[in-house]
Amino acid sequence: MFRKTTMRRAIGEGLLIYLAAQGLALVPISFWPPAIFPVALILRTALFIVPPVWAAMRVVSTKREKMSRRFWRLGPTMAVCAAALSALIALFIGETLVPWGGLNTAPDITRLGLGGHATLALGAFALSELQNLGVLLVYYTIAVVCTRLANGGFMRFTMPAGNGRVTL
């Protein structure tokens, strides 16, 4: 019952989890009571890690399908969509403080083209988003591949070749 969804829906669910992680990252550190803040950090980290694993586990696959082309595309597709979500959040809401959370700067769209110390060059914005995309591409691809391989077993072979075959 759990693994009965389409690839499109699995990607959407994974991106909603990523969006929840981004939303949790926008909450400032002063909002959290000191006793709850470590739990919030752990939850935020888990929400950043879970999307590709969740999507890879939710997709319906055939009995023998482990790593088809559609699963090789799942990680990069989700990474591109997550990077686009991250760029939109940085443009219109602002960048977050990486380890602790909360807004680090004003929305990037207002800082593009300003003068002075608060300016943001278009090249610097593009470079930071490309770095984010690179990290997401590597992680999401590895996470999807490992999840799919762990689901169906790493190898399957039959031995011996006679009538008493055993599949491992």
Side-chain angles (χ1 to χ4, degrees):
M1 176 84 84
F2 175 72
R3 294 184 190 172
K4 294 189 177 191
T5 189
T6 63
M7 184 71 76
R8 184 173 297 176
R9 181 175 174 143
I11 290 172
E13 290 173 358
L15 290 177
L16 282 176
I17 294 170
Y18 183 80
L19 192 59
Q22 287 285 59
L24 194 58
L26 292 172
V27 177
I29 190 173
S30 60
F31 173 80
W32 303 106
I36 296 178
F37 183 66
V39 175
L41 283 179
I42 292 169
L43 177 64
R44 191 176 94 187
T45 304
L47 287 175
F48 275 116
I49 291 172
V50 166
V53 176
W54 177 268
M57 288 180 65
R58 289 277 291 147
V59 175
V60 173
S61 59
T62 62
K63 185 176 181 182
R64 297 220 177 243
E65 178 185 38
K66 285 188 187 88
M67 287 303 301
S68 63
R69 285 185 192 155
R70 66 188 191 132
F71 285 109
W72 280 106
R73 285 192 307 258
L74 176 61
T77 301
M78 283 190 64
V80 167
C81 293
L85 276 174
S86 179
L88 287 173
I89 288 172
L91 273 174
F92 296 109
I93 297 174
E95 295 179 14
T96 59
L97 291 170
V98 173
W100 309 116
L103 286 176
N104 187 21
T105 61
D108 287 347
I109 199 158
T110 61
R111 298 182 331 135
L112 289 171
L114 284 180
H117 72 285
T119 190
L120 177 65
L122 187 60
F125 175 74
L127 184 63
S128 70
E129 293 306 320
L130 283 175
Q131 287 174 340
N132 185 28
L133 176 63
V135 169
L136 288 174
L137 273 172
V138 169
Y139 171 67
Y140 277 34
T141 303
I142 290 172
V144 167
V145 168
C146 289
T147 302
R148 291 303 303 169
L149 290 176
N151 256 348
F154 286 93
M155 284 189 287
R156 187 173 280 177
F157 58 92
T158 303
M159 60 180 270
N163 287 335
R165 292 184 180 189
V166 177
T167 301
L168 303 174

